[in-house]
């Protein structure tokens, strides 16, 4: 880490703004990052706040051409950040915080360009024929965030950073596929379909999800089981990242991933629940996952497992 132990007032204020955004908008994410030391927590909040800005453009009510224009502006800001052109007294606190985080940590900021690319896919209303097609999207909007996060975490005990980045990317895919399963009804209401068309056709779900019951004649439970198996395999590979991190970074990842893994199992136990409402975990269960991560249980279990299961 290259940053000084002394942080100026404007930069601290920028980080406080990003941490407030994170705590208000991303409860699952905030559960994990509060296990980190201050500098890493601040950097992760800056990454989240910038990512949230990009997502909010994509999810907003503006016409597609205006969304694309705003995303272009956000990409131009990212270029300024990479070039070191954002001063500490800049009026944009997210830019100030992210610029400082980029000086302190080896962040692959091109990952945020990938995030913008992924949100542009949403703006264009792209659909995905196969899992390979969907995986491209997932790598943009989630795998890239995993790789950026690894820039903050670093690797411990001489572990290969390139291999760790592959695992971080895969864990991002697991989280995003879980999100897609959880949000199928909400996404359908917004005119979006993410699950591969091949899979929807295979299980008789090509008509989409526009009510609290599955499409007539479909095997919705079979579709969910099929996607859950895929997500479990991604989690199994992604969890191999845990033993490669220091204790507190591993606890952060374990907490965030553990919350989504438990969401996945809730969906597997009651597939139609995702059509009736938003599946979530109670606070006490999230707290248990965080304690489990801090104790290093998932990391030790993964290190012992030949497949990387946790």
């Amino acid at each position: 880490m290259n940053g000084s132990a002394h942080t100026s007032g404007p930069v601290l204020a920028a980080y406080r703004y990003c941490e407030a955004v994170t705590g208000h908008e991303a409860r699952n994410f905030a559960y994990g990052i509060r296990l980190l030391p201050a500098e890493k927590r601040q950097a992760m909040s800056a990454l989240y706040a910038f990512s949230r800005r990009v997502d909010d453009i994509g999810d907003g009510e503006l016409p597609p051409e205006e969304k694309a224009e705003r995303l272009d502006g956000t990409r131009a800001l990212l270029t300024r950040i990479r070039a070191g052109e954002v001063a500490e007294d800049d009026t944009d606190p997210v830019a100030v915080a992210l610029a400082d985080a980029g000086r302190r940590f080896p962040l692959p900021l091109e990952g945020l360009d990938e995030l913008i690319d992924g949100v542009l896919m949403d703006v264009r209303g792209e659909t995905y024929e196969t899992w390979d097609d969907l995986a491209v999207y997932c790598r943009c909007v989630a795998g890239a965030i995993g790789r950026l996060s690894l820039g903050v975490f670093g690797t411990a005990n001489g572990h290969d950073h390139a291999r760790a980045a592959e695992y971080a990317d895969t864990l991002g895919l697991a989280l995003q596929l879980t999100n897609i399963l959880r949000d199928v009804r909400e996404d359908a209401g917004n005119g979006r379909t993410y699950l591969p068309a091949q899979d929807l056709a295979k299980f008789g779900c090509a008509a989409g999800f526009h009510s609290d019951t599955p499409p007539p004649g479909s095997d919705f439970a079979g579709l969910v089981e099929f996607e859950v198996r895929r997500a479990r395999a991604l989690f199994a590979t992604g969890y191999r990242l845990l033993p490669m991190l220091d204790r507190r970074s591993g606890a952060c990842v374990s907490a965030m991933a553990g919350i989504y893994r438990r969401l996945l199992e809730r969906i597997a136990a009651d597939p139609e629940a995702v059509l009736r409402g938003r599946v979530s975990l109670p606070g006490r269960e999230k707290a248990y996952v965080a304690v489990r991560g801090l104790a290093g249980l998932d990391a030790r279990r993964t290190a012992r497992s030949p497949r990387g299961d946790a």
Side-chain angles (χ1 to χ4, degrees), residues 1-309:
M1 184 167 50
N2 300 320
S4 164
H6 303 288
T7 305
S8 71
V11 172
L12 283 174
Y15 277 130
R16 283 196 293 270
Y17 173 85
C18 292
E19 288 185 293
V21 170
T22 303
H24 184 263
E25 301 288 350
R27 293 178 183 175
N28 290 345
F29 188 82
Y31 247 95
I33 68 170
R34 67 184 181 182
L35 302 175
L36 294 170
E39 281 191 325
K40 290 186 176 183
R41 185 175 65 249
Q42 290 169 341
M44 290 295 288
S45 294
L47 284 171
Y48 175 82
F50 188 93
S51 302
R52 181 74 192 197
R53 179 178 295 181
V54 175
D55 286 341
D56 283 348
I57 293 171
D59 292 338
E61 301 297 328
L62 293 172
E65 59 274 12
E66 290 188 40
K67 288 183 179 182
E69 187 175 319
R70 291 203 178 190
L71 289 169
D72 285 344
T74 307
R75 199 189 298 273
L77 174 60
L78 182 59
T79 299
R80 288 181 55 226
I81 292 170
R82 278 201 299 258
E85 296 174 357
V86 174
E88 290 188 356
D89 61 353
D90 192 281
T91 57
D92 186 336
V94 176
V96 171
L98 185 58
D100 186 75
R103 288 189 290 269
R104 293 173 182 267
F105 297 93
L107 300 180
L109 289 175
E110 63 275 7
L112 292 171
D113 274 309
E114 293 180 49
L115 173 63
I116 294 170
D117 291 339
V119 173
L120 279 169
M121 294 181 198
D122 285 337
V123 171
R124 294 192 295 263
E126 291 193 17
T127 56
Y128 307 97
E129 181 65 25
T130 67
W131 163 246
D132 287 343
D133 296 333
L134 178 59
V136 171
Y137 169 80
C138 291
R139 284 198 164 88
C140 286
V141 299
I145 302 303
R147 285 177 265 122
L148 281 156
S149 300
L150 184 63
V152 176
F153 300 144
T155 52
N157 303 320
H159 284 291
D160 177 52
H161 187 88
R163 179 58 60 86
E166 292 176 10
Y167 294 151
D169 182 270
T170 301
L171 194 55
L173 266 65
L175 269 60
Q176 188 63 26
L177 182 54
T178 303
N179 262 337
I180 288 169
L181 284 172
R182 182 191 63 186
D183 295 342
V184 289
R185 175 78 185 277
E186 180 181 338
D187 288 334
N190 292 326
R192 293 178 180 174
T193 301
Y194 291 101
L195 290 175
Q198 279 187 355
D199 299 353
L200 296 174
K202 178 179 179 180
F203 293 96
C205 295
F209 312 106
H210 302 285
S211 73
D212 58 4
T213 57
S218 69
D219 181 10
F220 181 72
L223 171 68
V224 172
E225 181 184 357
F226 182 77
E227 304 299 348
V228 164
R229 285 200 306 269
R230 174 177 281 148
R232 284 174 179 154
L234 292 168
F235 273 114
T237 298
Y239 267 116
R240 295 177 190 170
L241 173 66
L242 297 180
M244 306 174 80
L245 304 176
D246 66 63
R247 177 173 173 268
R248 290 178 72 175
S249 296
C252 171
V253 175
S254 182
M256 289 190 288
I259 287 169
Y260 279 89
R261 179 66 190 264
R262 284 171 176 264
L263 278 175
L264 183 71
E265 296 310 322
R266 285 197 168 211
I267 293 168
D270 183 8
E272 291 189 26
V274 298
L275 300 178
R276 298 191 297 268
R278 192 175 183 88
V279 178
S280 62
L281 298 185
R284 64 182 181 277
E285 192 167 349
K286 292 180 183 180
Y288 168 77
V289 173
V291 169
R292 180 182 174 89
L294 196 58
L297 298 178
D298 292 333
R300 289 197 293 274
R301 182 176 176 181
T302 303
R304 292 194 300 267
S305 170
R307 296 189 302 122
D309 293 337

